[in-house]
Amino acid sequence: MKETPRLYKRAALGDNPFDALWDIRDGRTYFTGPLYYNASHQHGAPVFLASLYGKFRLRLHGGDWLWCRTAVIPAGVLHELDVGGEPITVLYIEPTVAGADAFKPLINNSRALDGALVGNGGEIRLMRDLYEDRYKPDWTTEPLLDLLGYAKRRAHSAVIDPRLTRVVDYLSEHADDLTPVVTWAMQVGLSPSRFQHLFTEQIGVPFRRYRAWNRMRQAIRKIIRGQNFTTAAHASGFTDSAHFSHEFRKTFGAPATIGLHRLARLQL
């Protein structure tokens, strides 16, 4: 396939061209950095994608590859990415904060396709500025928070059953919790089948998949805070670093070394 021309000139990246930004807090997971190929995978939370300097290739549910500049992909939707080593923003928002609709104001010139939104424009400049300013001492994600607040106010997000919110909030503080589904259902006053149905319907993915996503999110947060892979893996409910690496590839479609090897800046 013929390469799509670059839409913006890449800023000079100096001696550290493969670093990344991470920000994991307040119900969001923000990553900006170079990615290559991410094999078919699905997330436990909706995600907004924005390529900083040109288009990237996206494939949904094993269909045809297509070029796009931005995309909104709900939780549980299978997709592949081919970014070619270019920087891309990957922004997740937890279901108790907002749903995929909160990302819709961030994308334009879009069309619905296989459960996702694929666009040729959107809030790219802000993402690019955050990445290019990553070495400045006063770097902050406050502009990102303002943008998400604006998007959420314009979006229509369904209210999640408070019984499920209770479970999700608990998991966010106890990533290593492995309480069985039956026990959780009993604690919130639902049958196991009703609990699983309601969870999938309102959160977007089955309970076990969301718990695995939450465990992964918390392990990454510990790693970017300075813990080694083994310590972070154990603290987040993984048996060892090999288990964490396997689940990372399963969750993101790429090895952990791609996104966690070199960090430019992180907010905790």
Side-chain angles (χ1 to χ4, degrees):
M1 180 178 293
K2 185 178 180 181
E3 183 178 358
T4 295
R6 197 180 303 266
L7 301 180
Y8 293 87
K9 183 178 179 181
R10 176 202 284 266
L13 299 182
D15 297 328
N16 193 20
F18 299 111
D19 48 16
L21 288 167
W22 282 96
D23 184 275
I24 303 178
R25 56 178 167 171
D26 301 330
R28 73 177 185 276
T29 301
Y30 165 77
F31 166 88
T32 297
L35 292 180
Y36 296 86
Y37 169 70
N38 293 64
S40 184
H41 60 288
Q42 55 188 168
H43 301 301
V47 61
F48 169 69
L49 302 170
S51 180
L52 303 191
Y53 302 103
K55 293 186 176 182
F56 64 96
R57 292 204 304 158
L58 171 68
R59 180 155 69 176
L60 299 163
H61 300 291
D64 295 332
W65 285 101
L66 59 142
W67 290 100
C68 58
R69 192 71 196 279
T70 53
V72 174
I73 303 176
V77 173
L78 281 168
H79 60 286
E80 297 172 64
L81 298 175
D82 183 2
V83 188
E86 293 294 316
I88 187 172
T89 287
V90 184
L91 175 62
Y92 308 90
I93 192 166
E94 293 306 297
T96 51
V97 175
D101 281 353
F103 287 139
K104 288 182 179 179
L106 308 186
I107 185 173
N108 58 39
N109 297 324
S110 65
R111 61 189 176 103
L113 182 66
D114 293 333
L117 275 181
V118 178
N120 287 317
E123 294 295 338
I124 297 166
R125 181 174 180 177
L126 171 64
M127 308 304 176
R128 190 167 64 244
D129 288 346
L130 286 173
Y131 185 64
E132 293 182 356
D133 291 345
R134 64 197 179 281
Y135 293 118
K136 291 185 177 180
D138 58 348
W139 185 91
T140 176
T141 55
E142 286 185 9
L144 178 63
L145 292 176
D146 290 341
L147 181 66
L148 283 175
Y150 163 78
K152 285 170 58 180
R153 288 192 296 271
R154 295 187 60 190
H156 173 71
S157 296
V159 177
I160 295 177
D161 189 304
R163 292 170 294 186
L164 301 186
T165 300
R166 172 186 162 193
V167 175
V168 171
D169 287 346
Y170 180 86
L171 291 177
S172 70
E173 298 296 328
H174 304 84
D176 59 342
D177 183 85
L178 296 176
T179 301
V181 171
V182 173
T183 303
W184 273 119
M186 180 176 63
Q187 289 181 359
V188 299
L190 295 169
S191 69
S193 60
R194 179 57 183 162
F195 174 83
Q196 300 230 53
H197 174 80
L198 191 63
F199 197 97
T200 301
E201 178 183 64
Q202 296 198 4
I203 303 300
V205 291
F207 171 76
R208 290 186 179 87
R209 185 177 301 281
Y210 179 79
R211 182 167 61 185
W213 159 254
N214 179 71
R215 186 163 61 236
M216 177 59 62
R217 182 174 179 268
Q218 297 304 322
I220 292 171
R221 190 168 190 266
K222 294 177 186 299
I223 290 170
I224 65 178
R225 287 175 117 176
Q227 294 187 13
N228 62 44
F229 277 36
T230 300
T231 301
H234 280 301
S236 304
F238 297 98
T239 55
D240 51 32
S241 60
H243 182 204
F244 166 78
S245 295
H246 172 78
E247 290 301 315
F248 188 99
R249 184 183 289 271
K250 181 178 176 181
T251 301
F252 298 105
T257 51
I258 296 296
L260 292 171
H261 182 56
R262 302 176 77 170
L263 306 175
R265 184 180 295 274
L266 52 103
Q267 292 290 303
L268 305 174

